[in-house]
Amino acid sequence: MHKDRKGYIQVYCGNGKGKTTAALGLSLRTLLSGGSVYFAQFCKGSETAEMGLCSLFDTFVMEQYGTGKFITNNPTEEDRKQARQGFEHCKSVILSGYFDLVVLDEIILSVFYQLINVEEIISMLRSRKPWVEVILTGRKAPHELIEAADLVTEMKKVKHYFDTGVKARRGIEY
Ligand code: ATP
Ligand code: MG
């Protein structure tokens, strides 16, 4: 649909709320303007409200690559396998040029835990079809990724109710 224009690389990082929310907002905007979206959630494996978009739009595909458990300091073999599978699949999606927008939600966390190499990600981004827009999210973006991106927004936490013990809420955080 949007194959006649250039796609850019966007990074949403930082410790404040809004990274996944912004990626979802942009996905909606693309869908409602007739484009297609592939939304991959790395390091996740639990049901989220946003999965409902799949039944509302046949141009929206969402897939999760994770075990459903939080990755702690020592990722398991299963975490590694999921991240690797996710990366290989996203790579084929990005190289195919089939989707206008590809979201790699929380892929930056996979890099932080050394489940995926940042150089591999950058080389994948460079080989994408020119019209594919890509969003990568996650807290601590490595400088190589920031340099490779066209747009970087850091969500800065000024205050977050998480710090007062409020857990993730359905419809607000997931
Ligand atoms: P959102 O999906 O609401 O836009 P986000 O994508 O910017 O948020 P993530 O880094 O993906 O934020 O956070 C995932 C979840 O981690 C949040 O829903 C929240 O419950 C929890 N969280 C928030 N702040 C912290 C924190 N400082 N440390 C650990 N977990 C946090
Ligand atoms: Mg998020």
Side-chain angles (χ1 to χ4, degrees), residues 16-21 106 139 160 162 168 172-173:
K17 178 174 170 67
K19 300 173 289 294
T20 302
T21 308
E106 216 55 281
R139 284 164 187 245
H160 197 312
F162 181 85
I172 307 288
E173 271 86 30

Side-chain angles (χ1 to χ4, degrees), residues 17-49:
K17 178 174 170 67
K19 300 173 289 294
T20 302
T21 308
L24 279 168
L26 202 134
S27 297
L28 261 188
R29 201 176 257 169
T30 295
L31 291 168
L32 294 171
S33 66
S36 55
V37 179
Y38 180 81
F39 199 115
Q41 296 194 305
F42 284 82
C43 305
K44 268 193 192 152
S46 49
E47 199 264 341
T48 56

